[in-house]
Amino acid sequence: MTIKDIAKLSGVSVSTVSKIMNNKADSIAEQTKLKVLRIAREQRYTPYAAVKNGLNGRHYRLAVIAPLDRRNLPVIRRLEAAAHERGYQMILADSLAGGRPAAGQLAALRGASDGAIFVGEGAAPEPRGWPAVVIGSAASPTRPAVAADWGAAARAAAEHLESLGHRRLGLLSADDQAWPGSAVRASVERHYGERERPFDRKLSVTPATLPTLISAGATAVICVGQDLARLFYQYAWRQDLAIPQDVSVAALDDGDPEPFWPPLTVARLSADELARRALETLIAQIEGRAPDLPAAAAAPLLSPAESTAAPASRAGSAASILVVGSLNLDVMMSVPMMPSSGETVLIDDLSSLPGGKGANQAVAVARLGGEVSLIGRIGRDAGGKTVYNALRLHRVDTRGVSVDRQVETGRAYINVSPGGESFIEVYGGANRRLAPRHLERNEDLFRTASYCLIQSELPVEIFGLAVEFASRHGAKVIFKPCSLDQLPADLLKKIYLLVPTRKEAAR
């Protein structure tokens, strides 16, 4: 096969073929270049200049260097099929479970192929002068990389679990500091941030720390790979945890479906597209052109199955009490007497404790053995962390607790005399920024509540809306008025129990 034969088969001049084969075809139409290169590959044509200069020329073979384990087999099979379609043969080499191949092995592969695809983070050196692509996360000036969008898959799984009512999402990865675990954790943290809820780092675990996941309160777990999902199924079986009755499970994976019982919910990344993008990027390097690829990877496909369901509390397995109220850091000051106007009193003792009428009611219900959820708002500060940890310690469902990034947690400054009299000043802080959207987002908590405890330390439109939501879903309202002179008659009619102090009752 000569250059004249290639020109004749392509319907172009010998000069055009020569320019294309020697990467000097900037002025030639892209469609013409692709046609000539395809025919050259099919005919295994090597330019005469390459032979004359003692070079191997084109081999029409590609090296794929990958750890030969079950996880990588789907993408390897797809690389082989895609290479064959484009007229290339594939040489497969084991990179020793993610380590770098030996120098001699690389030299032999380089001499027998036109370029290489390295599968796996850290598996590829910097092969200058040898076209190479990494299927991983880190590109460099000498080796482009393509990667599946694990973050998008995590987002799809988190949104699916959120729609079922889960607010405590666990994450099981081999390593959440390295790709793809790092990308997944960042995506889950963004999911929490967009909903103004804190992400508890205890919910991100590896196989070694798996037992802490359930104790941290996770109602659902996202597994980075089907292998880790299988590990979690085995762990759940040993702990007598039913899937999905006790905990829901979803996995992210770029491989072929595997059998699970109950069937596993999977956000599936496209191994076909990953192989195609890697191959097109490599062949474009070899042929001296830009790869013909879409700007963004295809969205992952979520396939819901029987491993995910609503959490037990939402499914109505237990009577629920909902508290809508304030969350504060209480600054307690013991004083010998209550100060009068213009008087200075020295404080005998000072302490900071989690509090707020909403948090106090929720903890009281939990201590009495009730199933309790709380809707409220804290700041992104040390006080907010103290209040949140106390709620979790007492097993209060904090799905409805949101975090304000601009205003700090509410404060109550409480003066207490030896006789038990108190004088309280309250700074609303994040409590004043509880908005209708925070109640709407958590309407499922009203739906499953038997009783709803509400206080008027919140903005008037919020506690009014909370009464409306509770009334709509048949929850009996127990209302604690404070700093309030009157209640609208239509609101009063929807209250089951009114619990004022003596002074509030007089007003």
Side-chain angles (χ1 to χ4, degrees), residues 65-86:
I65 301 156
L68 299 186
D69 54 33
R70 186 162 59 90
R71 178 177 178 79
N72 290 319
L73 287 181
V75 74
I76 291 171
R77 286 199 300 266
R78 287 162 174 81
L79 282 169
E80 184 176 26
H84 180 74
E85 287 176 2
R86 289 159 177 77

Side-chain angles (χ1 to χ4, degrees), residues 247-395:
V247 59
S248 287
V249 184
L252 322 175
D253 208 273
D254 57 359
D256 296 325
E258 296 178 19
F260 281 83
W261 187 260
L264 180 65
T265 293
V266 180
R268 196 169 303 286
L269 296 146
S270 174
D272 284 313
E273 186 186 1
L274 190 63
R276 183 179 66 84
R277 291 173 69 86
L279 200 68
E280 286 296 333
T281 302
L282 180 61
I283 292 175
Q285 283 187 70
I286 294 169
E287 297 178 349
R289 58 181 176 83
D292 183 21
L293 294 171
L301 176 65
L302 181 75
S303 303
E306 286 87 336
S307 69
T308 52
S313 59
R314 177 169 175 175
S317 63
S320 176
I321 295 173
L322 172 63
V323 179
V324 182
S326 56
L327 291 81
N328 294 328
L329 187 69
D330 289 348
V331 181
M332 304 283 293
M333 295 172 283
S334 298
V335 294
M337 65 184 73
M338 289 299 170
S340 58
S341 179
E343 184 179 14
T344 299
V345 176
L346 296 178
I347 297 171
D348 294 331
D349 190 36
L350 179 71
S351 60
S352 296
L353 301 167
K357 286 184 169 59
N360 290 343
Q361 287 183 341
V363 169
V365 171
R367 284 181 171 178
L368 290 168
E371 293 286 336
V372 59
S373 303
L374 175 62
I375 296 176
R377 197 155 172 80
I378 55 177
R380 194 182 185 185
D381 56 8
K385 196 172 290 185
T386 298
V387 174
Y388 186 82
N389 288 340
L391 293 169
R392 293 300 308 166
L393 179 66
H394 288 90
R395 297 189 175 278

Side-chain angles (χ1 to χ4, degrees), residues 39-40 44 85 145 202-203 212 225 242 261 289 324 358 470 476 498 500:
I39 291 172
R44 298 290 190 268
E85 287 176 2
K202 294 177 183 175
L203 293 173
T212 66
W261 187 260
R289 58 181 176 83
V324 182
K476 294 179 178 180
L498 186 67

